[in-house]
């Protein structure tokens, strides 16, 4: 684990929540910060910042299949979702609908509720089963919830609590352009093969600090060409009326500068992509294959230990996967189950246990990255069974 700063005394099976950053990337971030602090005026006002950001944009655009003109940076995928929804509020009419699934990440579902309320619109929810047999159940559930008032679909590319790779392209083919599809792809780049322009959607936002392993606080938003007019950051700044920066087109002007901030996390993304690529002899293709196979192996160990059926097919799994646990209604208010603390405190295993979709139901979610080993999941399976029997 020498490439990472992770505590060797713990078993880290929660890459999906916050990612992990290679030590070399953090060193690169500190070098960037030192360069900024040596002369902040020169860095920000004399072209160094913009040139550096544009180079990172080129690298990220190539990695995710985007055009540079449509790609901007935000601090996390939730910020990207908020920017899109805030920009869409003027186009919503009373009783229009923003559609989400019941697997939607809570923070982004909250953003949809607030934006809908400002416009007099409503948020509707498509119930997607879990466990499920195939992705057709997702397509049927979402399309079955669409009405003639549906204006926006907000959907995860990979669901957070349940770890499902969602059939985004299939849904977009049925819905766009009448229904704008906004994809929260927080987990997708670096985990699964992912090309934003091939999805056929209006908007994609994703984190760079998760599976791409950049410093924390780096994410991007991509907007399809026909959706860029009227698109603004949720923080309005100089670019709104053509102020600085003004050379990169409308979208870049809205997002590249929203006030003084630390851009070093954005600027580490090329370092992170190079560092992780070098960890596997087959580069990023090998990384994605390896972590997916490891996740599937870990899921199989848990399924066998719990004596349950697989809750989703293998082709809907990337490098995170969830398994349902026996129901346990603890308080009804906590997002994380006390079992999570027991696994950490008694066994040194960091793994999330969510109350989902509502008490008393709950799931345990594993992640896999290159610092994990098959025996990590053996230890988890043994510890989990022991805690469930004791509990």
């Amino acid at each position: 684990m020498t490439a990472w700063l992770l505590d060797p005394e713990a078993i880290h099976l929660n890459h999906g929540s916050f990612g992990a950053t290679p030590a070399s990337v953090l060193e690169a971030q500190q070098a960037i910060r030192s360069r900024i602090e040596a002369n902040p005026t020169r860095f920000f006002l004399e072209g160094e910042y913009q040139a550096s950001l544009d180079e990172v944009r080129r690298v990220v655009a190539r990695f995710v299949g985007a055009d540079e003109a449509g790609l901007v940076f935000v601090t996390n995928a939730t910020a990207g979702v908020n920017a899109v929804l805030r920009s869409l509020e003027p186009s919503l009419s009373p009783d229009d609908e923003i559609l989400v699934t019941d697997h939607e990440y809570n923070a982004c579902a909250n953003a949809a509720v607030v934006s809908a309320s400002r416009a007099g619109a409503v948020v509707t929810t498509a119930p997607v089963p879990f466990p499920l047999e195939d992705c057709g159940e997702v397509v049927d559930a979402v399309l079955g919830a669409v009405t003639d008032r549906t204006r926006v679909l907000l959907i995860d590319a990979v669901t957070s609590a349940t770890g499902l790779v969602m059939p985004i392209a299939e849904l977009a083919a049925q819905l766009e352009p009448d229904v704008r599809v906004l994809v929260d792809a927080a987990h997708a780049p670096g985990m699964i093969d992912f090309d934003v322009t091939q999805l056929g959607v209006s908007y994609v936002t994703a984190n760079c600090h998760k599976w791409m392993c950049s410093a924390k606080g780096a994410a991007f938003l991509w907007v399809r060409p026909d959706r860029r007019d009227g698109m603004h950051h949720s923080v309005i700044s100089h670019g709104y009326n053509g102020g600085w920066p003004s050379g990169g087109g409308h979208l870049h002007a809205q997002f590249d500068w929203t006030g003084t901030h630390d851009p070093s996390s954005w600027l580490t993304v090329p370092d992170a992509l190079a560092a992780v690529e070098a960890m596997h002899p087959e580069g990023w293709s090998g990384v994605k294959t390896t972590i997916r196979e490891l996740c599937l192996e870990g899921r199989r160990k848990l399924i066998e230990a719990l004596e349950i059926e697989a809750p989703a097919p293998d082709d809907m799994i990337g490098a995170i996967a969830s398994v349902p646990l026996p129901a346990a209604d603890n308080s009804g208010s906590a997002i994380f189950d006390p079992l999570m603390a027991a696994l950490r405190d008694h066994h040194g295993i960091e793994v999330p246990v969510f109350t989902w979709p509502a008490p008393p139901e709950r799931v345990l979610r594993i992640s896999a990255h290159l610092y994990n080993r098959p025996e990590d999941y053996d230890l988890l399976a043994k510890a989990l069974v022991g805690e469930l029997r004791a509990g």
Side-chain angles (χ1 to χ4, degrees):
M1 215 184 294
T2 55
W4 311 83
L5 297 182
L6 294 164
D7 180 359
E9 298 299 316
I11 297 172
H12 299 272
L13 301 179
N14 192 21
H15 190 93
S17 284
F18 307 106
T21 307
S24 63
V25 177
L26 295 174
E27 292 170 2
Q29 183 181 30
Q30 185 54 50
I32 292 166
R33 285 173 166 162
S34 296
R35 179 157 55 98
I36 294 170
E37 294 306 321
N39 193 329
T41 301
R42 179 183 63 203
F43 183 83
F44 286 116
L45 294 183
E46 297 178 19
E48 194 171 346
Y49 165 72
Q50 194 65 54
S52 299
L53 190 65
D54 288 343
E55 177 56 30
V56 175
R57 195 187 333 261
R58 283 189 285 273
V59 172
V60 174
R62 286 195 300 268
F63 190 75
V64 300
D67 63 299
E68 295 169 34
L71 190 140
V72 292
F73 294 98
V74 289
T75 53
N76 51 54
T78 302
V81 167
N82 273 268
V84 173
L85 292 174
R86 290 294 301 270
S87 297
L88 289 176
E89 286 175 16
S91 69
L92 296 174
S93 300
D95 300 323
D96 280 351
E97 297 170 358
I98 300 174
L99 177 62
V100 300
T101 77
D102 57 353
H103 295 239
E104 181 56 49
Y105 188 57
N106 181 61
C108 296
N110 287 340
V113 169
V114 172
S115 282
S117 68
R118 289 193 184 107
V122 296
V123 174
T124 58
T125 303
V128 173
F130 182 78
L132 76 175
E133 295 291 332
D134 57 53
C135 67
E137 293 184 59
V138 178
V139 174
D140 291 344
V142 172
L143 296 183
V146 173
T147 74
D148 60 0
R149 301 298 302 177
T150 305
R151 300 291 177 260
V152 181
L153 168 64
L154 167 60
I155 188 167
D156 289 352
V158 182
T159 60
S160 178
T162 49
L164 300 176
V165 178
M166 301 292 260
I168 301 299
E170 293 91 329
L171 289 167
Q174 296 290 322
L175 296 173
E176 289 275 4
D178 296 330
V179 175
R180 299 181 185 222
V181 179
L182 163 56
V183 180
D184 175 2
H187 295 278
M191 179 204 286
I192 60 176
D193 291 335
F194 192 72
D195 186 311
V196 300
T197 57
Q198 295 300 311
L199 294 175
V201 302
S202 292
Y203 316 93
V204 177
T205 185
N207 290 322
C208 302
H209 58 250
K210 292 201 178 186
W211 305 95
M212 293 165 69
C213 298
S214 75
K216 290 168 181 60
F220 70 85
L221 169 66
W222 176 82
V223 182
R224 202 171 66 199
D226 60 312
R227 305 300 197 194
R228 291 171 193 171
D229 289 345
M231 184 70 215
H232 301 285
H233 199 294
S234 51
V235 175
I236 300 301
S237 191
H238 296 290
Y240 182 78
N241 64 348
W244 184 81
S246 60
H250 166 78
L251 198 64
H252 292 184
Q254 307 307 307
F255 285 81
D256 283 3
W257 182 262
T258 57
T260 302
H261 69 294
D262 180 356
S264 61
S265 59
W266 296 350
L267 302 184
T268 65
V269 178
D271 298 282
L273 293 177
V276 177
E277 182 177 40
M279 293 179 186
H280 197 285
E282 297 176 14
W284 269 101
S285 175
V287 171
K288 288 182 282 189
T289 297
T290 297
I291 62 178
R292 179 173 183 270
E293 290 176 351
L294 184 57
C295 183
L296 288 171
E297 182 178 355
R299 189 179 75 143
R300 283 192 293 270
K301 294 175 187 293
L302 291 176
I303 288 169
E304 291 171 3
L306 294 168
E307 299 180 342
I308 61 174
E309 297 294 323
D314 285 359
D315 63 6
M316 293 187 72
I317 301 299
I320 55 173
S322 291
V323 293
L325 297 177
D329 191 353
N330 292 296
S331 70
S333 61
I335 296 175
F336 294 100
D337 191 277
L339 177 58
M340 179 177 174
L343 290 168
R344 179 189 65 235
D345 297 341
H346 302 161
H347 307 279
I349 300 173
E350 294 286 1
V351 65
V353 180
F354 300 103
T355 297
W356 192 91
E361 297 171 281
R362 54 186 181 162
V363 296
L364 179 146
R365 189 193 73 192
I366 58 171
S367 298
H369 214 287
L370 295 178
Y371 52 80
N372 293 123
R373 299 292 180 265
E375 52 266 31
D376 294 343
Y377 305 96
D378 291 320
L379 293 170
L380 172 61
K382 181 179 179 180
L384 176 61
V385 170
E387 290 294 337
L388 290 174
R389 287 174 178 168

